[in-house]
Amino acid sequence: MEKSKKREIMDIEEMKRNWQQMELRMDKIEEENQKLIARLKKNKAMGAKQRLMVSYFRMAIICIVSPVWIFLLEQEAYVGKILEIYYVLFFVALSAVNFYIWYFMKLNDYKTMSVKDALIKSYEIELLCKRGKLVGYILGLPLIVLLMCALYKAGIIEAFTGGCVGLIIGGAIGSIVNLKNKKMLREMRLALEEELAETDDDNC
Amino acid sequence: MVDKESIFLDVIGKNKQIIYKVCYMYAVDEDHLKDLYQEILINLWQGLDRFRGDAQISTWIYRMSINTCITQYRRNKQNVEMLPLEMLLNLPSEDDNRMESIKQMYQLINRLNRMEKAIILMWLDEKTYDEIAEVTGLSRNNVASRLRRIKAKLVEYGKE
C-alpha cells in the first residue's frame, strides 16, 4: 500500500519534471508573428470577442435604420397606424437589445478578469444573447404575419411581392448572423458549464 | 524611448513557452492551436498598455492566455484527438521514453476540465498557491483542495 502510494506521488512529480523540461516549438507561428504585429500596429487585427461585438453593433445599426422602410412603404400601400407603430417599436426594441449585448460585452474585459470571472461573464453573455433572440422572435413573428396580411389586403401586388422579397432577404441575413453567433456562443457555454458547477460547489 | 513593438516582442520572446504551453493544453488540433496563439497575441498587444506591473509579467501572461483559451470558441469541436505532439516538441528523436511519458501526461491532463487545466498548468510550472489563486480568482484554500483532487484524478486516470 505504502509502496503504491509512493509510486503515485512519484508519477505526479515525474509529470511535473517532464512538463518543466518540455520545450515546445512552433516555427511557422513564429514566422507569422511579424505579420500579425504589422497588422496589429495598423489596428487591422481583431480578436474573436471583438468580431462578435462588431456583429452585434452592426445588427443594432441595421435595426435602427430598418423603420425607414415602413415609411417608404406608406407611399405605396397604407398598412395602418397601429402596424406602423408596432413595426417601428419592434426594430427599436431589437436595436436596444443588440446595443445592450454589445455594451455588456464591451464592459467585460477578459484581459483584467480572473479565470473564474471570465467563465461566469462568458456564460452571462450567452444567456443575454439567448434572451435577446427570444424577444426578437416573440415580437417579430406576429409582426411578419400582420404585415403580410396588410399588404395582401391592400391589393398592391408589387408591395406584397416587395414584402415577401424583404422577408426572405431579411430572414436569410438574420438566420446567417444568428447561426454564426449561436455557434460561437454554444462553444463558450459548453466550455463553461462544468467549471461553473464545480466553482459553485466549492463556494457553498 | 522604447516603442510598444519592442516591448511586446521582448515580452513575447521571454514568455513564449508559457503561451505555447497554455495553447497546447487547450487546443484540440494544430489549427486551433494557431488560432489560440494568435488570439492571445492580439489580447496581449491590446492589454500591454494597461499592464501596470502590479503582478509579475508571467502571472499576467498566464491570466491573459488562460482567459483567452477558456473563452474562445472552438471551430471544430468534433476533433478532440490529441495534437501531433512529436511535431511540436523539441526533443531528440532518440528520446523515446521521455516522449512517451510526455504523451501520456498530455493525454491525462487533456481529460480535465478547463478550470482544472488552468490550475494544474500553473502548478506544473511551479507557480505558488497564491499566484494560482490570483489568476483563477479562487481562494488559496480552494486552490489547494482542488489541486489535491486534480492530482487524485490524474492518478486515477493513469491507472485506467
Side-chain angles (χ1 to χ4, degrees):
Chain A
M1 181 73 182
E2 190 60 33
K3 200 178 171 184
S4 149
K5 179 90 181 163
K6 228 175 189 175
R7 174 75 197 139
E8 283 168 10
I9 293 164
M10 251 174 62
D11 285 342
I12 295 283
E13 288 305 321
E14 192 187 322
M15 192 182 270
K16 197 172 183 176
R17 271 197 305 279
N18 281 334
W19 180 260
Q20 282 162 4
Q21 286 164 13
M22 189 165 93
E23 282 250 326
L24 292 167
R25 59 178 168 76
M26 299 202 278
D27 308 328
K28 283 178 192 167
I29 279 180
E30 292 261 27
E31 284 169 25
E32 285 166 20
N33 275 4
Q34 290 298 333
K35 285 183 203 164
L36 180 67
I37 289 164
R39 284 175 57 218
L40 283 166
K41 278 174 79 180
K42 290 178 189 165
N43 286 325
K44 281 187 176 171
M46 260 201 280
K49 191 186 153 212
Q50 281 168 294
R51 285 197 295 273
L52 199 61
M53 280 171 65
V54 166
S55 140
Y56 277 103
F57 191 76
R58 206 176 284 156
M59 277 307 286
I61 298 294
I62 290 171
C63 288
I64 281 183
V65 295
S66 290
V68 173
W69 182 77
I70 199 84
F71 299 115
L72 293 174
L73 178 75
E74 206 177 26
Q75 292 161 12
E76 296 290 328
Y78 183 66
V79 292
K81 231 12 177 202
I82 294 173
L83 193 55
E84 275 183 12
I85 293 168
Y86 185 14
Y87 183 89
V88 171
L89 284 180
F90 168 74
F91 279 105
V92 168
L94 217 58
S95 177
V97 167
N98 279 297
F99 264 128
Y100 184 70
I101 295 171
W102 168 80
Y103 185 66
F104 190 81
M105 283 178 156
K106 193 177 152 68
L107 276 186
N108 293 301
D109 186 3
Y110 297 135
K111 297 181 195 80
T112 53
M113 282 178 193
S114 67
V115 174
K116 184 180 147 191
D117 288 341
L119 287 168
I120 293 167
K121 288 294 171 197
S122 308
Y123 191 65
E124 282 175 4
I125 285 173
E126 190 190 3
L127 276 180
L128 198 63
C129 294
K130 277 190 174 166
R131 283 174 188 157
K133 204 152 98 182
L134 197 67
V135 170
Y137 284 135
I138 290 170
L139 294 176
L141 285 174
L143 176 69
I144 290 168
V145 174
L146 289 172
L147 197 63
M148 296 315 283
C149 288
L151 286 173
Y152 187 73
K153 274 181 193 165
I156 305 167
I157 198 72
E158 292 86 357
F160 182 70
T161 314
C164 288
V165 171
L167 183 68
I168 292 165
I169 295 172
I173 294 171
S175 300
I176 291 166
V177 173
N178 261 340
L179 276 174
K180 275 169 84 176
N181 288 348
K182 196 177 163 188
K183 197 179 168 193
M184 285 183 206
L185 293 162
R186 192 180 55 229
E187 300 297 352
M188 279 182 174
R189 183 180 60 81
L190 288 171
L192 302 177
E193 269 178 352
E194 60 176 336
E195 286 95 331
L196 284 178
E198 217 175 303
T199 304
D200 291 343
D201 277 356
D202 290 336
N203 289 341
C204 287
Chain B
M1 185 165 164
V2 193
D3 65 345
K4 187 178 176 180
E5 188 180 343
S6 318
I7 299 170
F8 182 69
L9 285 172
D10 187 48
V11 167
I12 298 300
K14 282 178 185 159
N15 297 281
K16 65 181 180 190
Q17 281 300 316
I18 293 178
I19 306 171
Y20 286 170
K21 283 180 179 177
V22 175
C23 292
Y24 186 68
M25 195 66 97
Y26 287 96
V28 292
D29 55 37
E30 217 174 330
D31 283 340
H32 188 218
L33 184 133
K34 284 178 186 171
D35 284 347
L36 288 177
Y37 178 80
Q38 201 171 73
E39 193 73 17
I40 291 170
L41 248 55
I42 292 172
N43 284 337
L44 287 173
W45 173 269
Q46 289 167 348
L48 194 63
D49 299 328
R50 274 170 283 163
F51 177 66
R52 300 263 171 261
D54 337 332
Q56 271 185 38
I57 190 99
S58 63
T59 307
W60 178 70
I61 288 175
Y62 258 116
R63 184 202 299 270
M64 294 279 259
S65 306
I66 293 171
N67 279 359
T68 303
C69 291
I70 59 167
T71 55
Q72 172 84 330
Y73 58 93
R74 288 178 198 171
R75 278 188 189 161
N76 181 11
K77 204 170 182 292
Q78 293 92 329
N79 185 4
V80 288
E81 294 301 310
M82 302 298 125
L83 287 162
L85 198 79
E86 294 84 348
M87 287 166 66
L88 297 167
L89 278 171
N90 220 0
L91 285 178
S93 55
E94 66 271 14
D95 207 347
D96 285 343
N97 279 344
R98 232 185 102 205
M99 178 73 85
E100 197 49 49
S101 162
I102 291 175
K103 231 179 191 174
Q104 198 191 359
M105 175 193 77
Y106 178 73
Q107 280 168 345
L108 296 179
I109 292 175
N110 207 46
R111 293 170 67 179
L112 301 171
N113 72 35
R114 295 193 164 199
M115 179 64 103
E116 288 172 338
K117 276 183 189 175
I119 294 170
I120 198 75
L121 186 65
M122 284 183 283
W123 177 79
L124 287 169
D125 265 344
E126 298 217 302
K127 290 278 164 197
T128 64
Y129 283 7
D130 288 323
E131 281 170 313
I132 300 174
E134 190 193 330
V135 172
T136 55
L138 303 171
S139 68
R140 194 183 185 283
N141 288 344
N142 203 325
V143 168
S145 67
R146 272 171 176 252
L147 252 176
R148 265 198 308 276
R149 266 185 281 160
I150 294 167
K151 284 182 200 172
K153 254 190 196 180
L154 289 175
V155 170
E156 199 58 42
Y157 292 159
K159 283 178 191 168
E160 285 171 11

